Amino acid sequence: MNKNEFISIKFDLVNGLIQWYTRKYHIKLSELRDYAYDSNEVDKLIMEKGDYVIYEVYEIERPVVEGEMIFGVTRIFPGVIGQEYNFTRGHYHVNKMAGEIYVGIKGCGLMLLQDLQGNFFTEVLERGSLIYIPGKYAHRVVNTCDEDLVFLFAYPAIAGHDYELIKKCGFKKVVLNIEGKPTIIDNPKYNK
Ligand code: PA5
Ligand code: NI
């Protein structure tokens, strides 16, 4: 990285690896228990296979002040939790003025979007997708293919992540593997 105020790093556009980041974290199966379509399947899988990593995030942190941006790369490993494809927790931004950009680098899946009025949308997120998410939409990504789903993200540092609302209300729909095909069904646990 340059030793000045700019950040200029190597970014491998094939596998999404970034050469430098300030924070790396991962989310394991057990941490998705409250977000899953069927939490019994989470418990069952942990008993069978242990508590493995579902996705990892490489982030370049910046000061949380107006004008700054946080950016990085998320990698969701392929797989299912029962019938449900591996997914990110999903969140609303606390600051509803703060939008976000996602760029698909590798693999394929779906982005789920919903607002507080109960409007729900899906967008394909795959290598070459560019999605702008206005600040009012909660966003989750689901890996529906059998390879890693990797995407770049960038958002205003003042956005803030609200996970509690998603934990409590869920997304309106879930993406299940039904007879080998990604199928979007109503989430029976969704409560607005
Ligand atoms: O801010 C974003 O939207 C991303 O950086 C996500 O935080 C990241 O992909 C992990 O997803 P989540 O925060 O929903 O667990
Ligand atoms: Ni976000």
Side-chain angles (χ1 to χ4, degrees):
M1 203 196 51
N2 291 344
K3 294 279 179 288
N4 57 29
E5 65 188 298
F6 304 102
I7 296 175
S8 176
I9 55 180
K10 286 279 175 244
F11 177 34
D12 187 328
L13 287 169
V14 176
N15 57 30
L17 288 178
I18 44 176
Q19 177 200 38
W20 184 85
Y21 44 85
T22 62
R23 178 184 180 217
K24 178 187 175 188
Y25 67 92
H26 56 241
I27 297 294
K28 288 187 179 172
L29 186 53
S30 60
E31 295 168 89
L32 292 182
R33 194 177 189 283
D34 294 341
Y35 300 88
Y37 166 65
D38 187 346
S39 34
N40 292 327
E41 292 290 346
V42 173
D43 298 338
K44 227 165 76 185
L45 263 181
I46 293 174
M47 293 286 280
E48 281 167 21
K49 298 187 179 171
D51 193 10
Y52 57 89
V53 174
I54 302 289
Y55 61 97
E56 56 189 23
V57 181
Y58 299 81
E59 203 171 77
I60 288 120
E61 301 159 293
R62 299 293 305 156
V64 179
V65 295
E66 192 131 4
E68 283 285 357
M69 294 185 72
I70 294 174
F71 56 101
V73 168
T74 300
R75 174 181 304 273
I76 312 176
F77 297 108
V80 282
I81 302 165
Q83 286 183 297
E84 187 174 25
Y85 290 101
N86 285 356
F87 58 93
T88 59
R89 292 168 293 180
H91 55 268
Y92 283 95
H93 288 171
V94 177
N95 182 342
K96 298 285 180 292
M97 298 299 287
E100 183 158 357
I101 281 173
Y102 274 45
V103 179
I105 306 295
K106 186 180 183 343
C108 47
L110 288 172
M111 177 181 281
L112 313 186
L113 298 144
Q114 78 184 17
D115 66 15
L116 292 167
Q117 280 68 51
N119 298 305
F120 177 89
F121 306 92
T122 61
E123 291 293 338
V124 169
L125 178 62
E126 59 190 7
R127 179 172 171 76
S129 302
L130 167 60
I131 304 179
Y132 171 67
I133 309 155
K136 64 176 182 170
Y137 290 102
H139 40 288
R140 164 178 288 172
V141 177
V142 183
N143 183 351
T144 57
C145 294
D146 40 9
E147 60 174 320
D148 294 356
L149 173 56
V150 183
F151 58 87
L152 176 99
F153 59 82
Y155 58 90
I158 55 167
H161 292 67
D162 179 357
Y163 295 104
E164 289 313 307
L165 200 53
I166 293 299
K167 230 190 246 182
K168 207 172 101 208
C169 305
F171 272 81
K172 208 165 181 181
K173 305 213 181 232
V174 291
V175 188
L176 304 185
N177 177 330
I178 297 179
E179 291 171 4
K181 286 204 184 84
T183 309
I184 302 167
I185 65 151
D186 287 341
N187 179 4
K189 284 204 230 163
Y190 173 68
N191 81 83
K192 203 181 149 190

